[in-house]
Structure formats: structure tokens, C-alpha cells
């Protein structure tokens, strides 16, 4: 499943597609949204935001289209008169200046008044979005020590969208490796410097993955991995997908375990308790 950086990049494409004119056409597959197309025609898309893995399309009439891709949903941008060739089911389409943004296969779609968006049951449970909201390292440090989080193992906590929204499985492994922390440690086990180092990499690697289309590795380690014949699936990461390969930092063999029912990759030497 795509993580926050991938959803934010998709939102950027949709925003570019839809924010430079008025809505010429709109269509929704679900009966509960059938009344909205005539109301949206002539309106504008003001902004496209993300909240973790959810997307928010904000309209000038103060309504917001919420969608969550879940496992199979995908947005496609295309010319309105050239329908994409796909076996996926169309769920929503918005057209501006002859260009369309179409949502396929997603089932979690709804329309909300902007001033009631915080009542959405999924959004209400989310922590701050690292890419669409103003989140600094200090804010993350403070959240690490909140009662809901400070005694939880880092391996599970970093997947909890209620802690921060947008982190997922590959970012979890990468953040813990660069921070030099075992997934078994808890925020309360760390020194103040350790919590700040963790907060730094939570934020910086999420932004790096957004800017580089999912590459979280260091340039010098990427060149080293390429010289060893690693595929992009491996060299884009420092540890994720690299089980059995040498750690770029210490040359120990990288390992894989399951934490919170998801695979986690780590260096047993660099990330020892």
C-alpha cells in the first residue's frame, strides 16, 4: 500500500490538474453522491490535501471530497476525451479545462462540509500529517512522551496513524535504522537526545521520500549498492527489502522480523538494544 509520500505526490498531480479553471463536469458512482455533480459544475478546486493515506479535495463552495485508496484505489490524470485503458472500476471523475482526474477502485469516498471535516471517523483518529500540515521536530518529540505513546514499542508505534499520519512500513524500517534504534525500544527508554534524533529522522526521511519518489537511502550508499548489482527495489532503501545483504554502515548481515504483523528490516549490530 502506498505511504504518505506517495499519496502526497498523487495529490500534487491532481491539484495541478484541477486548480487552474472551473469544474466543467463531475461524476460519482455512489448513490449518496449523485446530487453533487450539478452543484460542483462551475465551482473551483481550491486545494488538494492529504491526511496520511487519505486525500481531501477542497472545493470553492466549502465542500470537501474525502477519499481513501485502501489497497486498490488509484487516481489517474488524463485528457477528458481519452479514457484510461484499465480493468478498474471508475468511482469519481472531475474535469477542468478538458483535463480529468479519475478515481478508480476506491470504495471509501464521501463529501463533507469543510467545517465538519473533523467529525469524519477516520480523520478524527489521525495524528498530524507530516507533509500537509505544519509539523516540526519539537512537536514530534512532545508526542513521543504523551501518555498514549511513551510506553509503546517503536516497532508498533511508528505504524500507528494516531501518532503521526503518513508513516508506513518501509519508512518505519528506514527511520529506525538511521536513528540507530531497536524496534523493541520505547520512547520512555530513550534519552532526550535519542527522542530528538528519532523525531528528526521521522520528519526528514518522510520529506526525502516525498521529494525523491520513495528513495530514502544516502547517495554514497546508493552508488555502493548499484556497484554490487542491487536492483532499484533494494538500492532505494538503506535496510528495507535488503534482508541478508550487508549493512552499509557496519557490514553486518541485515535481518527481517515481523512486528505488528508487518515485516521490519534492521541491522542487528547498528540497532542493538
Amino acid at each position: 500500500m502506498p505511504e504518505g509520500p506517495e499519496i502526497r505526490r498523487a495529490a500534487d498531480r491532481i491539484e495541478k490538474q484541477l486548480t487552474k479553471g472551473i469544474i466543467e463536469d463531475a461524476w460519482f458512482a455512489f448513490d449518496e453522491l449523485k446530487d453533487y455533480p450539478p452543484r460542483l459544475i462551475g465551482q473551483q478546486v481550491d486545494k488538494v490535501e492529504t491526511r496520511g493515506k487519505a486525500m481531501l479535495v477542497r472545493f470553492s463552495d466549502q465542500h470537501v471530497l474525502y477519499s481513501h485508496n485502501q489497497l486498490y484505489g488509484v487516481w489517474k490524470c488524463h485528457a477528458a476525451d481519452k479514457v484510461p485503458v484499465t480493468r478498474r472500476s471508475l468511482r469519481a471523475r472531475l474535469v477542468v479545462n478538458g483535463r480529468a482526474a479519475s478515481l478508480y477502485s476506491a470504495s471509501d469516498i464521501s463529501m463533507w462540509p469543510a467545517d465538519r471535516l473533523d467529525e469524519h471517523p477516520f480523520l478524527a483518529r489521525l495524528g498530524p500529517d507530516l507533509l500537509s500540515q505544519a509539523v516540526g521536530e519539537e512537536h514530534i518529540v512532545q508526542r513521543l512522551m504523551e501518555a498514549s505513546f511513551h510506553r509503546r514499542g517503536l516497532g508498533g508505534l511508528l505504524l500507528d496513524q494516531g501518532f503521526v499520519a503518513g508513516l508506513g512500513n518501509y519508512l518505519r524500517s528506514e527511520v529506525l535504522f538511521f536513528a540507530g534504534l531497536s524496534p523493541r525500544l520505547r520512547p520512555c527508554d530513550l534519552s532526550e537526545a535519542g527522542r530528538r534524533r528519532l523525531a528528526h529522522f521521522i520528519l526528514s526521511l518522510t520529506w526525502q521520500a516525498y521529494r525523491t519518489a520513495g528513495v530514502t537511502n544516502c547517495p554514497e550508499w546508493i552508488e555502493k549498492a548499484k556497484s554490487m548489482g542491487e536492483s532499484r527495489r533494494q538500492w532505494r532503501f538503506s535496510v528495507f527489502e535488503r534482508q541478508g545483504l550487508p549493512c552499509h554502515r557496519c557490514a553486518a548481515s541485515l535481518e527481517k522480523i515481523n512486528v505488528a504483523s508487518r515485516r521490519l528490516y534492521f541491522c542487528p549490530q547498528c540497532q542493538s538494544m
Side-chain angles (χ1 to χ4, degrees):
M1 179 186 290
E3 301 185 16
E6 289 72 39
I7 301 300
R8 180 63 258 179
R9 288 174 67 89
D12 290 348
R13 293 192 296 271
I14 296 164
E15 185 172 87
K16 183 178 180 180
Q17 186 92 319
L18 297 179
T19 55
K20 296 181 179 179
I22 64 169
I23 298 171
E24 300 165 346
D25 193 21
W27 183 89
F28 299 108
F30 300 117
D31 288 341
E32 57 268 29
L33 297 177
K34 292 293 188 181
D35 292 339
Y36 285 98
R39 295 163 58 179
L40 292 177
I41 293 173
Q43 299 290 328
Q44 291 180 300
V45 173
D46 289 338
K47 192 174 184 180
V48 182
E49 301 175 355
T50 57
R51 292 293 183 272
K53 300 175 185 180
M55 195 176 296
L56 307 175
V57 180
R58 293 185 177 270
F59 300 103
S60 55
D61 70 349
Q62 299 304 303
H63 277 84
V64 182
L65 178 67
Y66 165 93
S67 65
H68 195 298
N69 286 358
Q70 299 173 316
L71 287 176
Y72 304 110
V74 61
W75 282 91
K76 293 179 179 290
C77 295
H78 58 94
D81 60 351
K82 294 183 179 179
V83 178
V85 178
T86 178
R87 294 183 178 180
R88 296 174 181 268
S89 299
L90 181 63
R91 304 302 193 191
R93 176 168 291 163
L94 299 168
V95 178
V96 173
N97 292 334
R99 301 285 299 174
S102 299
L103 177 58
Y104 290 88
S105 298
S107 58
D108 192 1
I109 308 171
S110 54
M111 192 75 74
W112 289 75
D115 60 0
R116 292 184 53 203
L117 197 59
D118 58 358
E119 299 174 20
H120 188 285
F122 175 76
L123 298 178
R125 299 195 302 267
L126 290 181
D129 185 280
L130 298 174
L131 297 174
S132 286
Q133 295 175 297
V135 183
E137 292 180 16
E138 188 63 36
H139 188 187
I140 298 173
V141 170
Q142 293 172 2
R143 290 188 70 75
L144 284 167
M145 290 309 292
E146 290 182 9
S148 300
F149 308 126
H150 78 294
R151 292 190 178 279
R152 294 180 55 187
L154 295 177
L157 177 61
L158 295 190
L159 290 184
D160 185 349
Q161 299 298 291
F163 170 55
V164 291
L167 281 182
N169 209 34
Y170 79 79
L171 280 171
R172 171 180 69 162
S173 292
E174 296 292 286
V175 165
L176 290 174
F177 172 75
F178 277 102
L181 298 173
S182 164
R184 298 181 179 89
L185 289 170
R186 305 169 297 172
C188 62
D189 298 325
L190 307 180
S191 65
E192 178 67 15
R195 288 190 289 271
R196 290 190 176 278
R197 186 170 67 252
L198 175 59
H200 169 75
F201 284 111
I202 286 173
L203 197 57
S204 66
L205 285 177
T206 300
W207 275 100
Q208 179 178 331
Y210 163 67
R211 294 184 180 114
T212 61
V215 177
T216 52
N217 207 353
C218 303
E220 61 269 27
W221 289 352
I222 290 174
E223 292 307 311
K224 178 181 175 182
K226 286 181 177 179
S227 71
M228 296 171 61
E230 293 185 24
S231 65
R232 185 184 187 279
R233 180 180 177 183
Q234 295 172 318
W235 62 247
R236 62 182 277 207
F237 302 122
S238 61
V239 289
F240 193 76
E241 298 278 15
R242 299 188 69 246
Q243 179 187 12
L245 294 173
C247 172
H248 289 302
R249 186 181 285 137
C250 73
S253 181
L254 299 176
E255 298 181 7
K256 179 180 75 170
I257 56 176
N258 283 331
V259 178
S261 301
R262 304 289 301 279
R263 57 200 170 109
L264 184 148
Y265 298 79
F266 72 105
C267 175
Q269 185 163 306
C270 294
Q271 297 172 256
S272 61
M273 286 290 285

